Amino acid sequence: MLLRLARRRDLQAIARFAEVVVHDTYDPLIGPEGARRVLDWWGQPLAEAVDLGHVHVAVACGDGDIELVGLVERGVLDGEPVVWKLYVAPTWRNRGIGPRLLQVAEGGIGPGHDRLLLEHIASNERAARFYERHGLTVLRRERSDDPEHDLVWRSRQLGGRVDDYASTAELHEVHMDAVWDELGDVVTVAFGALPPDGVIVDVGAGSGAGVVVVAERTACEIIAIEPSPTMRAMLMARLAAAGLLDRVTVLADAVPAALERVPDRVDGVVAGHMLGHLTSDDRHAVLDWTAAHLRERGAALLTVSGAGTPDPDAVHVEERRVGRHLHRAAHHAPDAHTYESSFEVLDGEEVIRSVVVTGSWERITADDVRARVVSSDLDVAEPRPGVVVLRR
């Protein structure tokens, strides 16, 4: 089952899905005629929300068939984020899809908001129980002629808005050792010949999986930049376990501001799996700083997206066993500006934990890097797809 942004080409499938879920939900509550009035909100208003990137769908794939099994639409009401629709197909309920759709809606909310709103009619007891279980408490009740038709507004406080990794850090990082082990030979080629008194800056150190790999292949001092408090806690623990606390300096600011606390000249720069998270201005600032501050014979190692046209339906899946549990991560980039990641912990066939996050992600290729540093004297090499090495 895949969660992704809805697209224009999904509208016919969404219309069929709406006929099923709206009549199933509202026929017993407000009658078929009332249900048909609800369906009016699934036409042009929903198409416009799809165009704005405000609609996510849950899609089940099997035996070559694709079935739409869930949908959530978020929007804005008086400047506050609100969920306008959250539905799961009747035959797919009680499988954890509803909570994941709610998480996706919350994950797409930008900073500056402290609560999420939604509403349901009073007689929809199934929805009320679901929202209560997931922390959405009653905010107010809009009265109607029939108390059963009152509109119940609910809200939930938004947590983790400062630290984007607060809910996913350990689920994300359990897969990073394997990722950096695969990059070990490139790290050796890029930094293995640097002098022992050299300085390497890791501009997005995360939990330190890459820092340890770099430290194993060079004697240089390392400066690790990581703004996430959760990631930094894991980074410090990893450094302590590896005996690297005397050799690695940790900076808590984000780039490019953190670069002001770095020595004027450095021998190496690492930007692994993070350039796409930066705004265009910040990314350009990091590349410009690298071009200006890298010493002669220094090197920078960057991970980027591969060349060619991306497949919007492609999903990259990672799995790792932790004790009795299987940790599974699925990463999806539905377009050139967005990422979606789902993390699951399975005990046998049972999903005992599920977290879904979405956010901004710009697809950066080797050609994009080359175009930005073209006026410098840096050589741009791509030793393997998705890996760029810059050399003075």
Side-chain angles (χ1 to χ4, degrees), residues 6 31 37 39 59 128 173 221 232 260 266 293 325 370:
R37 288 195 296 271
L39 281 171
V59 179
E173 290 302 305
E221 175 191 358
R232 275 201 314 279
E260 297 177 2
V266 298
H293 294 264
H325 296 157
R370 190 175 288 109

Side-chain angles (χ1 to χ4, degrees), residues 29-262:
L29 305 179
I30 56 178
E33 183 60 33
R36 281 191 286 272
R37 288 195 296 271
V38 173
L39 281 171
D40 290 342
W41 292 99
W42 289 75
Q44 187 60 28
L46 187 66
E48 293 171 358
V50 167
D51 290 341
L52 291 171
H54 290 174
V55 180
H56 280 75
V57 290
V59 179
C61 304
D63 299 325
D65 296 327
I66 297 177
E67 180 184 3
L68 196 154
V69 299
L71 178 144
V72 65
E73 177 196 352
R74 62 179 172 84
V76 177
L77 178 67
D78 296 331
E80 293 194 275
V82 59
V83 169
W84 290 122
K85 297 179 182 63
L86 197 162
Y87 292 89
V88 176
T91 56
W92 283 81
R93 290 174 186 150
N94 301 314
R95 302 193 195 186
I97 297 174
R100 294 177 65 182
L101 289 170
L102 190 58
Q103 290 168 343
V104 165
E106 182 172 318
I109 298 169
H113 301 286
D114 59 5
R115 66 178 181 176
L116 174 68
L117 305 177
L118 58 75
E119 46 82 16
H120 63 88
I121 64 171
S123 57
N124 193 346
E125 296 179 356
R126 184 178 64 216
R129 290 192 299 269
F130 172 82
Y131 295 136
E132 285 287 345
R133 288 198 305 271
H134 293 90
L136 285 138
T137 57
V138 175
L139 180 66
R140 65 179 184 272
R141 188 169 180 136
E142 295 181 4
R143 302 294 179 180
S144 68
D145 294 337
D146 183 346
E148 292 290 297
H149 297 170
D150 287 355
L151 206 57
V152 179
W153 281 94
R154 294 176 177 267
S155 69
R156 183 170 77 178
Q157 294 301 117
L158 295 172
R161 308 311 302 170
V162 175
D163 187 353
D164 290 339
Y165 288 96
S167 64
T168 62
E170 85 278 20
L171 302 174
H172 179 276
E173 290 302 305
V174 74
H175 303 284
M176 293 308 294
D177 285 326
V179 172
W180 276 102
D181 285 346
E182 291 182 3
L183 290 172
D185 58 341
V186 182
V187 172
T188 300
V189 170
F191 305 128
L194 293 180
D197 61 349
V199 176
I200 297 174
V201 180
D202 189 331
V203 300
S207 73
V211 174
V212 172
V213 171
V214 172
E216 291 172 345
R217 288 158 174 80
T218 175
C220 291
E221 175 191 358
I222 301 171
I223 299 175
I225 299 172
E226 178 49 55
S228 162
T230 307
M231 286 292 194
R232 275 201 314 279
M234 299 170 70
L235 167 63
M236 289 295 192
R238 194 187 291 264
L239 296 179
L244 292 172
L245 289 176
D246 292 337
R247 191 172 149 201
V248 180
T249 300
V250 178
L251 298 180
D253 292 330
V255 293
L259 296 173
E260 297 177 2
R261 303 190 64 82
V262 172

Side-chain angles (χ1 to χ4, degrees), residues 3 100-101 103-104 107 168 340-343 354-358:
L3 294 180
R100 294 177 65 182
L101 289 170
Q103 290 168 343
V104 165
T168 62
E340 302 173 350
S341 293
S342 64
F343 301 91
S354 176
V355 180
V356 178
V357 292
T358 64

Side-chain angles (χ1 to χ4, degrees), residues 11 27 53 160 166 333 381:
L11 290 178
D27 280 7

